[in-house]
Structures are given as structure tokens and as C-alpha cells.
């Protein structure tokens, strides 16, 4: 191991590496039989006027980190601008917020994490804005001054420090000067054994280009995981082995504050750009059973070949469980499994840890339904372009409170339970787009409409959760959705998971002494939090038997309701079995709200 030593030349004929001691200037030579190059990459240094100021940084080495830390401790900056919305840029934005700064992220692409679908990136952008980070997309920095940066639209932003995180280029000077071949993707060319164009020289890491395991094309994937595995294989083969490197799917994941998002394989746009006949579906489902405290919604997006169902890639997002599902999708893409393989796969299930039908299973079912035509679907990334030049009737089948909070402009509100009664009143030849909260009830609504003979019907994959994620990242052209500002968050607040767990915990039992009519909402705590019948008590169906002490006497008048009337019907049977006699199934929330308004 020779530290403070810089390799300056490779003499391939003599098999010698020339080097210099950076402390003394002493020249050195090292003979080799086999040579491995692992010089990695370097951050791209954009030619921005003012980029050389002492308050402008890049983060790549420990020395870079030390300089940033010293600047923060000595100068005590109040404002920071992060240029670039990739992995390092977003992680640094969080770190600077935690150091007490007002942070602005400037990203030239339409949204942060440009490799991900807009709805996934939108989940991350919403989290950043909740913590007070300004996210400016579709913009570039044109000049850096001492305390400000100027954008290409002329706007100025306060910046006591600036971090440049534009991207990474491979370090190729030594290899190029030695005459080693550079590949079509701009990295050092290697064969499957990681051998370069010289039989005695191997290479690994961010400086090489490699084969993408999904479409087989040459790409550069500067990630730590592939680089480490390449290093092991290059060493094995340099020592006489014959271990082929199979390429990479580019699996990567980021956590920003509490939000997590990841990608593997190809995005839908990337798959279609590669000439593949691809489709995608999105589902949102609790990462473990909803009745166990702390359940969080996890998003799973699967990209697959339209004809064969082979998994081409996928993306996940959420506050819990996103990493586990991403690893499954990465395995599926690398092994060329189909969505039907995923649909039939067994995953670890226990109420605190998962669901009997995991989010992966559900995404696979949704993909099978789209492939077979049983559930005609569009993802939100396809929706805006699909709407170009078309007129569609939007039907929102959610409950009244989520609809009143926010909905697509012009959408007609028809709760799912009311849809059968009004199908005949809908325009006969109009294209219909249905959506709910997460896509599940939207699928049910679509099946109702198709069963009634309507043919021009599509379900928005992922429902309102996907629509809101998309709109958090991009401004659609062909539909309009105005979202409320995200609930503000502060560093040091109770975590999202802990809030969910606390809100799901059953309160201390209190016997009701009064005999007045009691309205009980048996939906989940999360559903109840969106809005409920005035004066209703929330006792989720799965907690009903444990909390009967809160209901009062068995002769008390109790009205039960849920989202559609099905769970409340089951709750009524439970209470009857325990001797309650004065019960009424109020049906769904929409019916109860009509009752409150005196319309029924």
C-alpha cells in the first residue's frame, strides 16, 4: 500500500506503472504481471462563473467533507443552495437542514431524482417541502456571487454556501494515455471478465462501462454496490480465474428525512426508449396489516414486457418497507421473472411485518389484470400525454372528505357505493377515467362500469395517491389538480412511524354512562383521520372486540358505519353475538353524511 503516491503513466510494453510521491516529488516505478485499474470517477465541475469561491463545495472525499464542516463551524452560514437533485444533492440538503440552514435545491431536470418516475420523485419532493426545503426544478444556476446565486431566469437566491452535485464522470486520463479502448457509453471498455483491451489489465468501478442486465446495452452505472462486486471479480480473474460479470440492474435507493424511494432496472420511459413494448402499474398498500399499529403505505411500481410479462424494472417509495420490496423487484428483473411469478410468490407474513398478500403480490395482480384486459389502466406518467386532444369524464369514487379536500378539476364525485344507482345516467359515449385513493376501489368501479356495458373506461393506476405524487413533481398540461400545502415538519418532531403507531393505539377504556345514540366508525384510524360523521367514535373493526367497554350497555342505540357498509355489517354481527340488541348498519360514509345533511 503506497499512500501519497500518484500514478502518472502506464508503460504497457514494459509492464511498469510510473508514479510520483506527492510529498517529495520522488519518482517511482512498479512492475506488474497483472494490473487492476480502479480509479473511480470525479464530480462534474460545471463552468459556472463564481464556482471557484471559497464558499462553494463539492462532496466526494473525506477531505471535501472536512472543508464543508470547517466552513459551517467557522462561518456559520444561514442559507445554502444545493445544485443538483440526485442522491448526494438530496442527502446533503437534509444534512444542511439539520445543521440549521435554510436550503434551496436547484435541479435542471423537470423533477428531482430524474431517473425515477415523476410520482415517485414527487413523494420525495413533498417530504423536502414539508421540512422547509425550497425545490426549484427546470432551472439552472448561471452565476455564483459571495452571498447569492443567480438562476438562468434571472432570479436571485440567498446562499451563504453552495454545494455542487451535478453528476460524476469516469477518471480516464491514465487509461486513455495508455491507449486502452474507451467504450460507446464513455467508460473504459471491458469484457465480461472485466479485462480491458490489454490482456494484462483489468478494471472495475465507476470508471468502466458495463452491460445492463435488462436490455443488454452498454451503460455506466456509478454505484457502490456494483463497484464492490466488480472489484472482487476483477481480482479473481487477474489471479487466473474465469468469473464473468453479469452486469447490473442499477438498483439504487435514497432516504431523505423520513421518506424512502428507490429504483431498479428500467423506468417505463427508459424501457420504451430502449424499444421495448413495456407497460407499468402502480399500487399503494400498507407495509404490514392495517390493524397492527404503525402500518405505513408503501408504493410499488412494476414495469414489465407487455407480451411476456417479464419484469423489466420497478420503483418503490414509502416511510417503511420500500427497501424490502425494491430488493424483490431487483431480483425479479435480474432473473427475468414474470409478473405471474411474482403473483404466485410466497413472502414472509406476520401481522407486524407484512400482509398475507404482500404489496408485491398486489402489484403483480394489477399487472396481470392490465395485461389480460380485465382492468384497462393508465399510469399517471402516461395520462397527461394520453389526454392530449381528448375529452374525458373524470369520476372520483372516494369518500366525501378526501374529495372535498382536493380533487381533479371537473371530476364528478360518485362514491363507489352510489355508483350502481347512477350508471345509467352517465353519458353513453363519453370516455371515462375513474380514480379512488389508491387504485383498488377505482378497479372495482371500472368493473362495475364495464359490467354495465360501458366500454370507454380506464382506471388511473394508483389513484389519487399517484396523481398527487405526479403533481408534486410536475405540472400536468391536460388536467388540473390543486393540492394543499404539505403539513409542516420540523427536525426533532416525533417520527412519521411513531405518529402512526401512537394514533393506532387503542385508548384507555372508558365506559359510557350515557344512553344516548352512539355512532361508531369502524374504518381504520387513517381513514377516520381524513374525515368522519360528526360526533362519531372511531373503533376500527379489528379492535371492536377489545374495546366493547367503550360502547355502554347492550341496549344502547348504536349506529355503525364504514366506507361502504360491508365492514359495518360485519361489526353489527359481532356486536349481536355479544348481546347488543339496539343496532343499525348506517352503511357507507357518504350515506351517513347525506343523513347528517338531511337529504335522506
Amino acid at each position: 500500500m503506497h499512500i501519497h503516491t500518484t500514478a502518472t503513466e502506464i508503460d504497457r510494453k514494459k509492464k511498469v506503472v510510473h508514479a510520483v510521491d506527492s510529498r517529495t516529488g520522488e519518482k517511482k516505478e512498479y512492475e506488474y504481471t497483472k494490473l487492476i485499474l480502479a480509479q473511480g470517477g470525479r464530480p462534474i465541475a460545471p463552468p459556472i462563473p463564481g464556482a471557484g469561491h471559497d464558499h462553494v463545495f463539492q462532496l466526494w472525499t473525506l477531505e471535501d467533507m472536512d472543508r464543508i464542516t470547517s466552513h459551517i463551524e467557522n462561518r456559520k452560514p444561514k442559507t445554502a443552495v444545493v445544485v443538483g437533485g440526485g442522491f448526494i444533492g438530496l442527502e446533503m440538503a437534509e444534512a444542511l437542514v439539520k445543521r440549521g440552514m435554510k436550503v434551496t435545491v436547484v435541479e435542471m431536470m423537470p423533477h428531482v431524482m430524474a431517473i425515477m418516475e415523476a410520482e415517485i420523485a414527487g413523494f420525495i419532493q413533498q417530504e423536502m417541502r414539508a421540512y422547509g426545503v425550497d425545490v426549484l426544478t427546470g432551472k439552472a444556476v448561471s452565476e455564483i456571487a459571495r452571498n447569492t446565486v443567480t438562476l438562468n431566469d434571472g432570479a436571485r437566491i440567498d446562499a451563504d454556501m453552495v454545494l455542487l452535485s451535478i453528476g460524476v464522470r469516469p477518471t480516464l486520463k491514465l487509461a486513455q494515455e495508455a491507449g486502452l479502448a474507451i467504450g460507446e457509453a464513455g467508460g473504459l471498455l471491458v469484457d465480461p471478465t472485466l479485462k480491458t483491451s490489454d490482456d494484462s489489465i483489468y478494471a472495475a468501478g465507476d470508471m468502466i462501462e458495463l452491460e445492463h442486465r435488462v436490455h443488454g446495452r452498454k451503460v455506466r452505472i456509478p454505484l457502490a454496490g456494483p463497484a464492490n462486486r466488480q472489484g472482487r471479480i476483477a481480482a479473481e480473474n487477474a489471479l487466473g480465474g474465469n468469473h464473468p460479470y453479469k452486469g447490473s440492474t442499477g438498483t439504487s435507493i435514497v432516504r431523505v428525512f423520513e421518506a424512502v424511494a428507490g429504483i431498479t432496472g428500467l423506468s417505463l420511459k427508459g424501457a420504451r426508449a430502449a424499444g421495448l413494448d413495456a407497460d407499468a402499474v402502480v399500487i399503494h398498500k400498507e407495509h404490514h396489516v392495517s390493524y397492527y399499529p404503525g402500518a405505513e403505505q408503501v408504493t410499488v411500481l412494476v414495469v414489465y414486457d407487455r407480451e411476456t410479462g417479464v419484469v423489466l424494472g420497478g420503483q418503490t417509495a414509502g416511510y417503511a418497507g420500500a427497501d424490502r420490496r425494491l430488493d424483490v423487484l431487483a431480483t425479479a428483473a435480474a432473473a427475468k421473472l414474470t409478473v405471474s411469478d411474482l403473483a404466485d410468490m410466497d413472502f414472509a407474513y406476520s401481522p407486524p411485518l407484512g400482509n398475507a398478500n404482500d404489496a408485491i403480490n398486489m402489484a403483480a395482480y394489477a399487472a396481470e389484470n392490465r395485461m389480460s384486459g380485465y382492468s384497462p389502466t393508465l399510469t399517471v406518467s402516461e395520462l397527461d400525454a394520453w389526454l392530449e386532444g381528448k375529452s374525458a369524464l373524470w369520476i372520483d369514487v372516494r369518500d366525501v372528505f378526501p374529495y372535498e379536500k382536493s380533487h381533479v378539476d371537473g371530476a364528478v364525485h360518485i362514491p363507489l357505493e352510489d355508483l350502481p344507482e347512477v350508471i345509467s345516467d352517465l353519458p353513453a359515449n363519453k370516455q371515462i377515467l375513474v380514480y379512488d385513493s389508491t387504485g383498488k376501489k377505482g378497479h372495482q368501479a371500472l368493473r362495475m362500469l364495464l359490467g354495465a356495458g360501458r366500454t370507454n373506461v380506464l382506471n388511473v393506476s394508483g389513484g389519487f395517491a399517484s396523481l398527487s405524487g405526479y403533481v408534486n413533481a410536475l405540472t400536468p398540461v391536460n388536467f388540473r389538480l390543486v393540492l394543499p400545502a404539505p403539513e409542516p415538519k420540523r427536525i426533532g418532531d416525533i417520527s412519521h412511524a411513531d405518529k402512526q403507531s401512537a394514533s393506532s393505539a387503542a385508548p384507555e377504556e372508558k365506559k359510557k354512562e350515557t344512553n344516548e345514540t352512539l355512532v361508531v366508525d369502524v374504518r381504520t384510524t387513517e381513514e377516520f383521520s381524513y374525515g368522519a360523521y360528526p360526533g362519531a367514535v372511531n373503533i376500527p373493526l379489528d379492535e371492536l372486540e377489545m374495546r366493547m367497554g367503550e360502547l355502554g350497555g347492550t341496549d344502547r342505540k348504536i349506529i355503525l358505519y364504514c366506507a361502504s357498509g360491508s365492514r359495518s355489517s360485519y361489526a353489527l354481527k359481532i356486536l349481536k353475538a355479544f348481546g347488543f340488541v339496539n343496532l343499525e348498519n348506517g352503511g357507507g360514509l357518504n350515506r351517513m353524511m347525506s343523513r347528517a345533511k338531511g337529504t335522506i
Side-chain angles (χ1 to χ4, degrees), residues 292-325:
Y292 192 89
E296 293 280 2
Q297 185 171 275
V298 63
T299 298
V300 175
L301 182 154
V302 180
V303 182
Y304 57 91
D305 184 275
R306 192 193 308 239
E307 186 67 28
T308 65
V310 169
V311 176
L312 304 175
Q315 296 169 47
T316 63
Y319 290 104
D323 52 345
R324 169 179 155 186
R325 277 78 188 182

Side-chain angles (χ1 to χ4, degrees), residues 562-591:
C562 60
S564 64
S566 58
R567 280 176 284 181
S568 52
S569 175
Y570 190 67
L572 185 144
K573 292 178 182 179
I574 292 174
L575 293 183
K576 276 187 176 180
F578 280 86
F580 288 84
V581 294
N582 198 2
L583 302 171
E584 177 187 342
N585 182 5
L589 175 62
N590 187 63
R591 184 174 180 83

